[in-house]
Amino acid sequence: MAKDVVMLREFQTFEDKARAIKLKTGVSDQLARMIKKWLLPGQKLAVGKHEYKTTIEASLGISCLCDDAVMELMWGLKNLMKTLVPGENLELTKEDCLPVSKGMMIVLKRHGIDVKPEMVNRQIVEMAQGLYECDWCVNKHVGSLQDALKEVSDINFKDWDPLKLASALKIICYPNEKCKYEMFSDDELPKLQALARSSEGKFFENTCLAIYNEIVWAYGFRDKVERRLRFLVEEARKSNTAEVGVDLPEKMSTSTYVDKREGV
């Protein structure tokens, strides 16, 4: 997912980072050329330290950003450095990855997982990323599913979760196929089955089925991710250096689901 929103333009190695940018001496010619090469007119440069902001603005006259949003971005870039910048061989220290991303803590809290900043290690970060991507995969179709059901039904589905919405649409489009009937009440199920007869041809059935399969897969995978994450957190609680191997799909896409989903 990171490669979908962040693109590497150029990578250079600086033998002495202190000489490349320093409050007293300014910005080196090498770094200045690279910054000016890629910064477009009117753009601001996001930097990871306030002293960088002060130095670059004073030396180059370039407006910089260094606020909470930028620090969240920089935290993510640091933790994904090996993926985004394959040429970078420097290993990050634990201090480099702190303070912990507020966004990550929000995701963990949403799932009732309590993690102290000093407990966070790379495996927990990777699993939290997997949890976020599962949440995104589950929730991204909610609006379109609700709109589709509104067109053909007056059923009150305000409090339905994404899986129930997708299951309802599958019942309408594929009334003879196996579905999660148990999540519907005795009043809801007959109405959906009746809609299957009256709504024929109103939906792209293959698309509806693909969305249903995607959400079912994401629910199942999210459960596995959450269980593994809870295990990692418990291990980290015992020892902050706990490292447990985890296999995560590099990118969650429809093509990935076809190969890796289980029980769909």
Side-chain angles (χ1 to χ4, degrees), residues 165-229:
L165 290 169
S167 298
L169 206 56
K170 184 185 178 184
I171 290 172
I172 295 172
C173 294
Y174 294 90
N176 298 320
E177 289 197 12
K178 182 180 178 181
C179 195
K180 296 182 178 295
Y181 297 113
E182 65 276 4
M183 65 176 58
F184 298 99
S185 68
D186 293 339
D187 178 58
E188 293 168 343
L189 186 56
K191 289 182 179 180
L192 292 172
Q193 291 171 330
L195 286 171
R197 295 185 292 272
S198 62
S199 304
E200 187 173 352
K202 291 187 177 181
F203 301 111
F204 293 104
E205 295 179 352
N206 289 340
T207 301
C208 294
L209 182 60
I211 291 174
Y212 170 81
N213 286 340
E214 187 174 331
I215 290 176
V216 169
W217 181 89
Y219 262 78
F221 190 77
R222 184 172 63 180
D223 287 344
K224 294 179 181 179
V225 170
E226 187 171 331
R227 287 197 300 270
R228 185 63 66 89
L229 183 53

Side-chain angles (χ1 to χ4, degrees), residues 16-61:
D16 187 350
K17 187 172 69 173
R19 295 184 64 181
I21 180 168
K22 196 172 183 180
L23 190 59
K24 292 183 179 180
T25 58
V27 180
S28 70
D29 291 340
Q30 180 186 356
L31 179 57
R33 284 194 298 270
M34 186 171 70
I35 292 173
K36 292 177 179 179
K37 178 180 178 181
W38 296 110
L39 197 68
L40 298 177
Q43 285 186 329
K44 292 186 177 183
L45 181 67
V47 295
K49 293 184 178 181
H50 288 285
E51 52 264 40
Y52 291 170
K53 179 179 186 298
T54 301
T55 304
I56 292 172
E57 288 181 341
S59 300
L60 305 179

Side-chain angles (χ1 to χ4, degrees), residues 1-5 83 107 111 125-141 210 213-226 228-229 246-261:
M1 179 176 282
K3 289 185 177 180
D4 293 338
V5 295
T83 300
V107 171
H111 289 269
V125 171
E126 290 176 354
M127 293 307 292
Q129 176 194 354
L131 196 60
Y132 169 80
E133 293 192 15
C134 286
D135 285 343
W136 175 80
C137 179
V138 164
N139 294 320
K140 67 179 179 178
H141 295 298
N213 286 340
E214 187 174 331
I215 290 176
V216 169
W217 181 89
Y219 262 78
F221 190 77
R222 184 172 63 180
D223 287 344
K224 294 179 181 179
V225 170
E226 187 171 331
R228 185 63 66 89
L229 183 53
V246 176
D247 291 322
L248 273 178
E250 182 177 340
K251 178 182 178 183
M252 296 195 173
S253 62
T254 303
S255 60
T256 306
Y257 301 146
V258 173
D259 296 330
K260 296 187 178 181
R261 65 173 184 259

